[in-house]
Amino acid sequence: QVQLVESGGGSVQAGGSLRVSCAASGYSNNVTVMAWFRQAPGKEREGVAGIYTYTLTPVPVYAASVKGRFTITRDNAKNTVNLQMNNLGPEDSAMYYCAAGVRFGGVWYSPALYDYWGQGTQVTVSS
C-alpha cells in the first residue's frame, strides 16, 4: 500500500507561481510512474504532468496545455514529487491530485493506470 499526501497549492493571481508537493510512503519502491492530475468543477480529471521512476534517470512528461510552464521533479531521498507551476492562468484553477502507479506500460495521462491517489490540494488562480 502506498500513501500519498499533497501539500502546497493555494490562491494566486494570474501570472503567478505555485508549487505543490506529494510525499509518498509505504511500498513506494514498487512505484513505476507518478503524476499530477487536476479536476475542475464539471470537467473530467486530466493528466497535467508525469514522471517515470523505473528508468535510470526519471523521465518527465507533460500535457500540451502546461508544457513550458510546469515542471515536475522527483526527490528520491525525500520520496516526494513536486510540481512547480509558473505563469498560471485562471484555466489552471482546479483540485490537483497526486497519483502513483505500480505497473509498466500504458499512457501516463490515463487515470486508469494509477493505483493510488492523494486527497487533493486546491489551486485557484484569479484574473
Side-chain angles (χ1 to χ4, degrees):
Q1 191 78 4
V2 176
Q3 294 82 40
L4 303 173
V5 178
E6 299 106 333
S7 61
S11 298
V12 68
Q13 289 190 331
S17 298
L18 284 173
R19 177 184 172 96
V20 290
S21 295
C22 174
S25 61
Y27 293 102
S28 54
N29 288 336
N30 296 330
V31 171
T32 59
V33 58
M34 295 190 72
W36 284 95
F37 285 76
R38 65 186 180 188
Q39 188 167 21
K43 294 188 176 181
E44 291 188 356
R45 189 168 295 193
E46 64 168 341
V48 175
I51 189 162
Y52 294 98
T53 59
Y54 60 87
T55 56
L56 187 61
T57 302
V59 177
V61 286
Y62 299 96
S65 59
V66 306
K67 199 168 187 179
R69 300 189 296 124
F70 290 14
T71 302
I72 186 170
T73 55
R74 176 178 168 98
D75 186 332
N76 287 330
K78 297 181 180 179
N79 239 4
T80 59
V81 174
N82 305 306
L83 185 67
Q84 177 67 39
M85 303 179 289
N86 298 328
N87 194 22
L88 286 161
E91 67 279 9
D92 296 312
S93 295
M95 186 71 80
Y96 281 70
Y97 297 91
C98 177
V102 299
R103 288 164 280 179
F104 293 92
V107 290
W108 71 270
Y109 49 83
S110 171
L113 179 64
Y114 297 87
D115 304 281
Y116 305 101
W117 294 84
Q119 80 287 352
T121 184
Q122 181 67 39
V123 170
T124 303
V125 185
S126 57
S127 57

